[in-house]
Amino acid sequence: TNAKMLRAKARKKKQGGNDDFDDDLWKKEKEKDTFGGRKKMKKKRKSGKDGSLLKDVVAIGILICFFLFVVSLYFKEPRGQRVFVKTKTEKNKKRLKTKVIAIGDVHGDEDVLRRLLFATGATDKVLGEDVKWVKERNERTVLVQTGDVVDRGKDSIGSFTFIRDIRAQVLVPGDEDDVDRRQIRLLVGNHELMAIQADYRFVAKEELVALGEAQMEKYGEQVKLHPDSTIGKKALQKVGLLRWKKLFAPDEAFGKEIREFGSVVTVAGEGNCKSAFSHAGVLPEHLKEMKIRSEDYDNTDDSGLKKSLDKVINEHYRNSSKGVQMSGNSWQERSRLPSWINGGDGVFWTREPPDASETNGGCDKIKEIVDLLGVKRMVIGHTVQWQGMNSICGGKLVLIDSGMSYAYGGRKREAFVCEGVNGVPMAVDTNGKSRRI
């Protein structure tokens, strides 16, 4: 403003006026200056000297282009496929990893079975009759029980019933036919084999008494089971034994489970977690006894023309065991089953795999069968590992019978877990703590 006043004063003086400031003249100069300034600004914008507006336009254009680029990446799909918006459920499915859980020898300890399934994330809680399989986080999970659910402990029937009930929650149409690819798979152990052979040497007396009491109660309230009752424990054990034998008969649910749907070996997992699971272990000599040739199977054939080796082995077992019921323990009666099933070195009884080493040639057999099955390792139970789950033969054989049942003192209550394509075998205890095997 001072500059404008000075210019007006100088102009008036030049025109011969006095030095006093003329207010009217100042107003005219101000209007002239303002009008001229606006004209200059307009002229500058037209000539492009002031690029602020252009800069704003460019910046907005860049932001729009970046936004469109991000959106195009989000919806981008392979050529020839329809573009669609992925839902939250579909995104979660993509993030879920394949997971394999294996439970070793339970031996009548329903409590530890429940706790391990909960600790590994398979079920929603431990106690109660309404325990549920958690489908949301286990859509790509396979649960394998490697046999010996029964005997020794007092809850054999409860344990067997519980895991079969959990399996019933995830059965889908078609699973009944393809037993070897169910989401929950129950393998046969030597103690399940003994149950269909009427070998009751290892059935817990407490369980037989409980079965006897339950059976007697069905006859009516006139049977009073108290300390002064004429029905003693031995009598109840005999009644319970009859009930046990009935439960595992060929035409009963448990009996059919072991004979018609039981498995010797199963393959689960992918990538580094792809493993073969068995009770005592399958060896190359067992395949020779079954007369299985290399041309009888193909582990890579997805067309269904040829079956994988594990399916071929299981079919051999089911064809041999269907309908078998023994009445005693004589050698003649047991010979109704082939030696690779019933023999001391058979697939349910052998103790050779845990003793394998590089020096005795055992590890060579393990590596051979692992290659034949097309997996990274074989995982077995049967032989208690007092120090907990461990591996031998360079990780090709994992031993998971940790003596979890209270019948063995509940030494190491652990489950086998391997997750993802690049996962490694882990031992998870009932508290959810894990360690590498």
Side-chain angles (χ1 to χ4, degrees), residues 7 29 56 80 134 153-154 174 225 227-228 250 269 280 296 310 322 345 350 353 362 380 386 402 411 419 421 424:
R7 284 199 299 272
E29 288 294 328
D56 291 340
V134 185
K154 61 182 176 65
L225 302 176
D228 298 328
D296 295 333
D310 60 321
K322 189 174 182 179
D345 294 323
T350 182
I380 66 171
W386 301 111
S402 59
R411 292 176 179 270
E419 189 171 1
V421 177
V424 294

Side-chain angles (χ1 to χ4, degrees), residues 195-210:
I196 66 172
Q197 293 177 318
D199 186 342
Y200 312 124
R201 289 174 294 165
F202 298 98
V203 182
K205 292 181 180 179
E206 302 97 315
E207 183 151 32
L208 291 179
V209 170

Side-chain angles (χ1 to χ4, degrees), residues 360-427:
N360 63 17
C363 285
D364 292 335
K365 289 185 179 181
I366 298 299
K367 291 173 184 176
E368 181 181 350
I369 196 66
V370 163
D371 289 341
L372 291 174
L373 287 163
V375 296
K376 295 292 184 180
R377 67 190 62 80
M378 184 163 61
V379 181
I380 66 171
H382 187 52
T383 302
V384 178
Q385 304 299 302
W386 301 111
Q387 74 276 29
M389 295 184 181
N390 63 91
S391 63
I392 58 176
C393 298
K396 294 294 183 180
L397 181 66
V398 179
L399 310 168
I400 67 167
D401 182 1
S402 59
M404 70 176 73
S405 173
Y406 77 90
Y408 285 105
R411 292 176 179 270
K412 290 285 187 178
R413 296 152 59 123
E414 298 176 323
F416 170 98
V417 176
C418 195
E419 189 171 1
V421 177
N422 300 314
V424 294
M426 304 292 290

Side-chain angles (χ1 to χ4, degrees), residues 77-315:
E77 290 205 358
R79 186 173 295 177
Q81 292 189 10
R82 181 173 59 89
V83 176
F84 62 94
V85 178
K86 296 181 178 179
T87 64
K88 186 176 180 181
T89 304
E90 289 165 342
K91 292 176 191 174
N92 289 338
K93 283 182 181 180
K94 191 173 182 180
R95 284 197 293 265
L96 285 174
K97 295 180 180 179
T98 55
K99 183 178 179 181
V100 184
I101 303 171
I103 307 290
D105 303 42
V106 175
H107 279 305
D109 194 336
E110 184 181 350
D111 179 69
V112 73
L113 173 60
R114 286 171 172 265
R115 292 184 184 280
L116 284 174
L117 289 181
F118 176 72
T120 55
T123 55
D124 63 343
K125 59 182 179 179
V126 176
L127 303 176
E129 296 181 359
D130 58 342
V131 175
K132 303 295 183 186
W133 175 267
V134 185
K135 294 181 180 180
E136 293 78 14
R137 63 170 176 252
N138 289 298
E139 291 183 7
R140 303 187 68 191
T141 296
V142 173
L143 170 63
V144 180
Q145 200 289 314
T146 58
D148 278 9
V149 174
V150 303
D151 282 351
R152 301 191 185 278
K154 61 182 176 65
D155 292 316
S156 294
I157 302 302
S159 300
F160 209 12
T161 301
F162 175 71
I163 197 164
R164 292 180 79 250
D165 287 346
I166 295 296
R167 185 185 63 187
Q169 296 178 24
V170 301
L171 279 177
V172 295
D175 276 357
E176 295 84 357
D177 300 326
D178 195 355
V179 179
D180 300 309
R181 294 297 176 263
R182 287 175 173 174
Q183 194 172 1
I184 298 179
R185 308 171 194 175
L186 309 183
L187 304 186
V188 176
N190 60 304
H191 284 269
E192 281 78 32
L193 189 65
M194 292 166 72
I196 66 172
Q197 293 177 318
D199 186 342
Y200 312 124
R201 289 174 294 165
F202 298 98
V203 182
K205 292 181 180 179
E206 302 97 315
E207 183 151 32
L208 291 179
V209 170
L211 288 172
E213 289 178 343
Q215 192 68 16
M216 293 302 294
E217 287 175 358
K218 291 182 180 180
Y219 292 119
E221 294 184 2
Q222 70 273 17
V223 179
K224 301 297 182 181
L225 302 176
H226 52 76
D228 298 328
S229 174
T230 55
I231 303 177
K233 283 189 176 181
K234 288 187 177 180
L236 288 174
Q237 285 178 22
K238 289 184 178 180
V239 175
L241 194 58
L242 291 173
R243 179 59 182 157
W244 180 280
K245 185 175 181 178
K246 175 66 175 174
L247 287 170
F248 291 95
D251 56 343
E252 294 292 323
F254 288 178
K256 286 184 177 181
E257 178 76 51
I258 297 169
R259 294 174 179 84
E260 299 180 27
F261 305 110
S263 299
V264 175
V265 59
T266 190
V267 173
E270 63 178 1
N272 194 56
C273 284
K274 190 175 183 180
S275 308
F277 299 85
S278 180
H279 178 63
V282 179
L283 296 172
E285 50 262 38
H286 296 142
L287 303 186
K288 292 179 181 178
E289 288 185 52
M290 288 181 253
K291 298 179 180 179
I292 296 176
R293 304 165 300 174
S294 59
E295 55 265 31
D296 295 333
Y297 63 90
D298 187 348
N299 296 321
T300 61
D301 185 9
D302 296 326
S303 64
L305 297 176
K306 276 195 174 183
K307 298 176 181 178
S308 56
L309 178 56
D310 60 321
K311 286 190 173 186
V312 173
I313 293 172
N314 292 334
E315 284 186 357

